[in-house]
């Protein structure tokens, strides 16, 4: 029966037919769904919001042996292989967001993993680890207090080969820009400057090519900061808009192309989707969801990550990883998708 707020809905040949009472059906594009290739084992915390943010290490010698690093913000950090099998776990206090860079040190090349530590809700802490890629384990390096507020978002960036930056985003809206030096036996962390947003942000990502920092303000949109400026000011990159980006704005990830092109992908948590923006034109391009198939869909996604390159036959163009807030039976995990499959589905 049709009432004032009821519309029959059916799907035909990839299009949705929507009609109200006394109206002819109108065609609208169907939601673009992309299947996951794999999913990780669940994090150890059961019955709670625990899995949060992933990072990806690409093995340059054997890309099929690359690793996914994911946080359980109630317990610690998991390392998974590309099939989603847990390789190791390191207990850690309240690590939230995580990122990774390969950098030079006095001892040679180091795979550095950084995370925001919110164990003290009034003082943000930066946690640093090294990744032992052979044994697939993390080794704690240092954990330092870097300001005031509750640590939340986190990302790393390389301003140059010798200028490694770490960024902690607090719940209060402060973005803390730090320099990290590994030339000593213990890393030296210096706070350079701070930026401010009006309300709560979390996800962030740095484009190492252009020196641009992108930050998601959960109930507003996405901002960019030009790190080459002495005192960067926020410039609006995207705003909340129905059918594009729905609060909360959560994880951010980059698909760089050329000197400055490519895409920014954002977790649109409110509609369980992922919005894709063109970096150069700063315009919305498309959105997708994870297909609910042999591997289940994602919902309430927090962190995401995307690394381009050949990761083997399942991921010839890159790997996209998304946290899943409801994996059933009170557990959470991470889903892995092929970037080539996403590009083809969205016609990017």
């Amino acid at each position: 029966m049709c009432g004032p707020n009821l519309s029959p809905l059916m799907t035909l040949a990839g299009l949705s037919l929507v009609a109200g009472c006394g109206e002819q059906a109108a065609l609208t594009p169907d939601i673009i769904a992309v299947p996951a290739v794999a999913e990780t084992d669940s994090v150890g915390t059961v019955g709670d919001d625990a899995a949060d943010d992933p990072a990806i290490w690409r093995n340059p010698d054997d890309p099929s042996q690359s690793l996914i690093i994911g946080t359980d913000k109630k317990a610690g950090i998991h390392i998974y292989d590309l099939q989603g099998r847990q390789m190791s776990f390191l207990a850690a206090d309240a690590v939230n967001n995580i990122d990774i860079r390969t950098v030079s040190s006095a001892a040679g090349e180091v795979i550095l993993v950084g995370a925001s530590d919110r164990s003290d809700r009034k003082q943000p802490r930066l946690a640093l680890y090294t990744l032992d890629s052979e044994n697939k384990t993390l080794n704690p390096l240092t954990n330092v207090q870097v300001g005031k507020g509750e640590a939340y978002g986190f990302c790393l960036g390389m301003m140059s080969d010798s200028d490694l930056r770490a960024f902690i985003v607090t719940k209060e809206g402060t973005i803390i820009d730090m320099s990290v030096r590994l030339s000593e036996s213990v890393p030296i962390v210096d706070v350079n400057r701070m930026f401010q947003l009006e309300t709560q942000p979390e996800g962030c990502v740095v484009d190492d090519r252009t020196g641009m920092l992108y930050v998601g303000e959960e109930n507003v949109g996405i901002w960019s900061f030009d790190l080459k400026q002495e005192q960067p000011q926020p410039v609006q990159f995207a705003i909340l808009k129905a059918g594009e980006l729905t609060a909360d704005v959560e994880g951010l990830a980059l698909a760089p192309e050329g000197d400055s092109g490519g895409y920014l992908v954002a977790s649109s948590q409110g509609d369980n989707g992922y919005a894709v923006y063109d970096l150069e034109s700063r315009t919305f391009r498309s959105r997708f969801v994870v297909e609910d198939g042999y591997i289940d869909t994602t919902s309430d996604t927090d962190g995401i990550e995307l690394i381009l390159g050949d990761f083997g036959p399942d991921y010839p163009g890159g790997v996209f990883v998304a946290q899943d807030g409801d994996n059933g039976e009170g557990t959470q995990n991470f889903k892995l998708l092929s970037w080539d499959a996403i590009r083809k589905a969205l016609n990017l």
Side-chain angles (χ1 to χ4, degrees):
M1 182 177 72
C2 263
N5 297 315
L6 297 176
S7 296
L9 171 67
M10 52 185 181
T11 301
L12 178 64
L15 297 174
S16 297
L17 281 72
V18 183
C21 293
E23 298 176 352
Q24 290 186 335
L27 294 177
T28 60
D30 202 4
I31 295 173
I32 299 172
V34 182
V37 177
E39 63 179 330
T40 68
D41 293 333
S42 297
V43 298
T45 302
V46 178
D48 204 348
D49 179 26
D52 197 87
D53 192 44
I56 303 169
W57 174 71
R58 182 179 179 273
N59 186 327
D61 299 319
D62 186 355
S64 67
Q65 297 301 308
S66 300
L67 300 171
I68 308 299
I69 305 170
T71 60
D72 177 339
K73 59 192 174 188
K74 309 292 184 181
I77 306 171
H78 297 264
I79 295 181
Y80 306 99
D81 65 14
L82 290 183
Q83 289 72 48
R85 298 171 298 206
Q86 180 175 299
M87 298 288 100
S88 67
F89 173 75
L90 178 69
D93 288 337
V95 288
N96 202 65
N97 283 23
I98 197 162
D99 204 358
I100 188 168
R101 289 291 190 281
T102 300
V103 297
S104 298
S105 74
E109 204 170 69
V110 171
I111 306 169
L112 184 72
V113 176
S116 52
D117 181 340
R118 57 193 292 209
S119 53
D120 184 339
R121 300 302 170 95
K122 295 183 179 181
Q123 293 186 322
R125 302 188 69 87
L126 169 63
L128 295 175
Y129 310 85
T130 57
L131 172 64
D132 181 340
S133 58
E134 183 175 350
N135 294 307
K136 301 177 176 60
T137 56
L138 284 180
N139 300 311
L141 199 56
T142 192
N143 188 302
V144 293
Q145 187 261 325
V146 293
K148 294 182 179 180
E150 181 178 347
Y152 210 37
F154 178 79
C155 52
L156 291 168
M158 296 294 298
M159 296 299 293
S160 69
D161 290 342
S162 59
D163 188 2
L164 172 65
R165 301 288 184 88
F167 299 86
I168 283 182
V169 179
T170 73
K171 274 195 171 183
E172 293 77 14
T174 303
I175 302 155
I176 306 169
D177 175 359
M178 297 160 281
S179 291
V180 179
R181 287 177 287 156
L182 300 179
S183 58
E184 310 294 333
S185 57
V186 177
I188 296 175
V189 178
D190 294 313
V191 175
N192 297 318
R193 52 193 177 175
M194 299 184 186
F195 323 132
Q196 190 70 36
L197 292 175
E198 292 186 2
T199 64
Q200 180 174 300
E202 183 176 5
C204 70
V205 66
V206 176
D207 190 335
D208 294 344
R209 305 167 303 165
T210 62
M212 297 298 291
L213 166 69
Y214 300 92
V215 181
E217 189 174 5
E218 292 189 349
N219 292 306
V220 177
I222 302 170
W223 301 90
S224 64
F225 293 84
D226 186 350
L227 298 174
K228 300 184 296 296
Q229 297 177 354
E230 184 174 342
Q231 190 57 41
Q233 298 299 311
V235 176
Q236 194 165 71
F237 181 88
I239 60 172
L240 298 181
K241 184 177 180 182
E244 293 184 9
L245 189 62
T246 303
D248 291 351
V249 180
E250 292 287 340
L252 302 178
L254 292 172
E257 294 182 358
D259 293 335
S260 59
Y263 304 97
L264 173 70
V265 185
S267 169
S268 178
Q269 191 180 69
D271 58 11
N272 301 322
Y274 308 95
V276 181
Y277 297 88
D278 185 279
L279 281 172
E280 290 187 319
S281 65
R282 305 169 77 91
T283 57
F284 174 77
R285 286 295 302 272
S286 191
R287 64 184 299 275
F288 68 97
V289 299
V290 176
E291 181 178 286
D292 192 5
Y294 175 74
I295 297 174
D296 63 303
T297 187
T298 56
S299 58
D300 299 324
T301 294
D302 285 319
I304 60 174
E305 183 58 294
L306 169 59
I307 298 294
L308 303 190
D310 180 10
F311 283 79
D314 288 332
Y315 311 97
V319 179
F320 175 81
V321 180
Q323 181 262 4
D324 183 8
D326 182 8
N327 191 46
E329 308 247 340
T331 63
Q332 297 183 340
N333 71 350
F334 302 89
K335 265 57 176 186
L336 285 67
L337 284 72
S338 163
W339 175 241
D340 277 1
I342 296 170
R343 288 196 63 163
K344 182 178 180 180
L346 302 185
N347 195 30
L348 295 177

